[in-house]
């Protein structure tokens, strides 16, 4: 019995599909092995050591933005004298000085 070209083509497609499926199963199995190995290695490591605060570190906490130069440090914050109220100012400034006060 001679095989028809259509049957040969169908068998070839089934073989390619099964080969691809076997490849995917092998890749998933390999990924699972790698992930399990990583979990075992992480569990074997000692927990990270948290540095304790010494007397020098307790004086002032670091400001990361000030260290990067994005914003001035709190102790370096400039004081703008124009924004401070005048201590000698006694009269309200919302009235016209030419008008008599009540």
């Amino acid at each position: 019995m001679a095989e028809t070209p259509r049957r040969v083509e169908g068998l070839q497609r089934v073989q390619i599909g099964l080969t691809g499926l076997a490849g995917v199963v092998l890749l998933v199995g390999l990924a699972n092995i790698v992930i399990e190995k990583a979990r075992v290695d992480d569990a074997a490591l000692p927990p990270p050591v948290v540095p304790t605060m010494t007397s020098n570190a307790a004086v002032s906490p670091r400001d990361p933005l000030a260290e990067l130069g994005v914003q001035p440090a709190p102790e370096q914050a400039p004081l703008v004298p124009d924004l401070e109220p005048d201590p000698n100012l006694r009269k309200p400034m919302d009235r016209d000085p030419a008008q008599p006060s009540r």
Side-chain angles (χ1 to χ4, degrees), residues 60-83:
S60 66
R62 296 277 185 197
D63 188 10
L65 292 177
E67 288 179 2
L68 292 174
V70 176
Q71 97 185 36
E75 60 271 358
Q76 298 174 352
L79 182 62
V80 181
D82 294 341
L83 298 178

Side-chain angles (χ1 to χ4, degrees), residues 30-90:
L30 180 64
N32 190 23
I33 291 171
V34 169
I35 289 173
E36 287 298 319
K37 180 68 174 164
R39 284 185 187 156
V40 169
D41 287 346
D42 286 345
L45 292 176
V49 177
V50 178
T52 58
M53 294 189 66
T54 62
S55 61
N56 292 339
V59 173
S60 66
R62 296 277 185 197
D63 188 10
L65 292 177
E67 288 179 2
L68 292 174
V70 176
Q71 97 185 36
E75 60 271 358
Q76 298 174 352
L79 182 62
V80 181
D82 294 341
L83 298 178
E84 293 180 359
D86 185 8
N88 299 325
L89 184 64
R90 304 266 185 237

Side-chain angles (χ1 to χ4, degrees), residues 14-32:
V14 169
Q15 286 175 345
I16 291 173
L18 289 176
T19 304
L21 186 61
V24 169
V25 168
L26 286 175
L27 284 175
V28 169
L30 180 64
N32 190 23

